[in-house]
């Protein structure tokens, strides 16, 4: 069993939160002790606690210097004696600054969820502070591997929940013409969908 900390900026409706929810559920059911650290529990924070995952909400204060807040964050991670720390890169610099105050023996994984230059730049500036990176798509992995040498970069595709046999049994059979509905953003700049 490992004690795993996962940082995500907020647990609001969206793709990264879905990724965190599914990953946390999978790790918890595999027997690991999982804590999601966030700045905002959002609407989905309760989903984590319902499945047995701990949620720790940081309360950064705008008037406190970033360095002091990062030290406080790092102290929390050290006191909790985590075996692995995963940072989901977004617009928040706080967890990346905190990495510089963590012991060298703690494995740190950074996750890049979209093809966004600021995320690559944040990972590159802090290259010495983390162990491994993960891209959410083959394109993100390829770009990150080029920009973040010599660190290892892997790809972990987003998973989806498969229907249970009971759900499949009550589905209507397919009929032609097949009609599809997509709910989401077709945003190439961030997602690289094309």
């Amino acid at each position: 069993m490992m004690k795993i900390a996962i940082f995500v900026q907020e647990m609001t409706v969206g793709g990264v939160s879905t990724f965190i929810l599914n990953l946390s559920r999978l790790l918890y059911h595999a027997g690991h002790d999982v804590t999601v650290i966030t700045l905002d529990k959002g609407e989905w924070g309760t989903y984590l606690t319902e499945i047995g995952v701990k949620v720790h909400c940081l309360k950064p204060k705008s008037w406190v210097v970033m360095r002091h807040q990062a030290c406080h964050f790092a102290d929390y991670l050290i006191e909790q004696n985590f075996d692995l720390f995963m940072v989901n890169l977004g617009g928040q610099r706080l967890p990346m600054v905190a990495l510089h105050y963590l012991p060298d023996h703690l494995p740190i994984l950074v996750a890049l969820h979209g093809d966004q230059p600021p995320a690559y730049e944040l990972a590159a500036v802090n290259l010495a502070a983390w162990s491994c990176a993960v891209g959410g798509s083959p394109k993100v992995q390829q770009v990150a591997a080029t920009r973040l040498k010599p660190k290892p970069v892997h790809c972990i595709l987003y998973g989806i929940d498969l229907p249970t046999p009971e759900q499949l049994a009550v589905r209507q059979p397919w009929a032609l013409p097949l009609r599809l509905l997509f709910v989401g953003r077709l945003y190439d700049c961030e997602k690289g969908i094309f």
Side-chain angles (χ1 to χ4, degrees):
M1 177 184 86
M2 290 181 66
K3 192 170 181 182
I4 301 169
I6 302 172
F7 176 86
V8 63
Q9 187 164 333
E10 57 189 12
M11 281 302 294
T12 55
V13 178
V16 174
S17 295
T18 301
F19 173 82
I20 298 302
L21 186 62
N22 289 337
L23 177 63
S24 298
R25 180 186 299 118
L26 177 73
L27 292 170
Y28 178 79
H29 287 302
H32 300 291
D33 181 356
V34 181
T35 301
V36 172
I37 303 167
T38 183
L39 302 179
D40 181 1
K41 283 182 168 181
E43 307 90 57
W44 285 15
T46 55
Y47 294 157
L48 291 165
T49 54
E50 287 171 2
I51 61 172
V53 172
K54 297 181 207 99
V55 178
H56 179 75
C57 194
L58 296 175
K59 303 285 187 199
K61 297 168 180 62
S62 59
W63 63 87
V64 178
V65 177
M66 171 73 72
R67 180 177 174 270
H68 179 72
Q69 293 184 62
C71 286
H72 181 71
F73 186 10
D75 287 344
Y76 167 78
L77 293 169
I78 293 166
E79 288 166 10
Q80 294 299 310
N81 201 28
F82 288 109
D83 299 309
L84 173 72
F85 180 42
M86 177 180 179
V87 179
N88 292 276
L89 290 182
Q92 184 53 245
R93 290 182 22 225
L94 176 62
M96 295 304 281
V97 175
L99 298 185
H100 297 276
Y101 299 102
L102 294 173
D104 291 337
H105 68 271
L106 178 63
I108 298 166
L109 185 142
V110 294
L112 300 118
H113 294 278
D115 186 30
Q116 302 166 306
Y120 298 124
E121 291 161 10
L122 192 55
V125 165
N126 295 285
L127 194 67
W130 51 267
S131 314
C132 177
V134 170
S137 73
K139 180 181 181 184
V140 172
Q141 178 194 17
Q142 180 184 15
V143 173
T146 301
R147 295 184 67 169
L148 303 174
K149 289 179 181 177
K151 295 290 179 117
V153 180
H154 303 278
C155 180
I156 299 178
L157 298 173
Y158 282 52
I160 59 167
D161 292 327
L162 296 176
T164 65
E166 296 79 22
Q167 291 169 326
L168 287 173
V170 297
R171 279 193 176 174
Q172 297 294 321
W174 289 13
L176 295 177
L178 186 62
R179 295 173 56 200
L180 298 175
L181 171 68
F182 171 80
V183 179
R185 292 182 300 152
L186 298 175
Y187 189 50
D188 184 60
C189 177
E190 183 177 323
K191 302 299 182 187
I193 61 170
F194 299 123

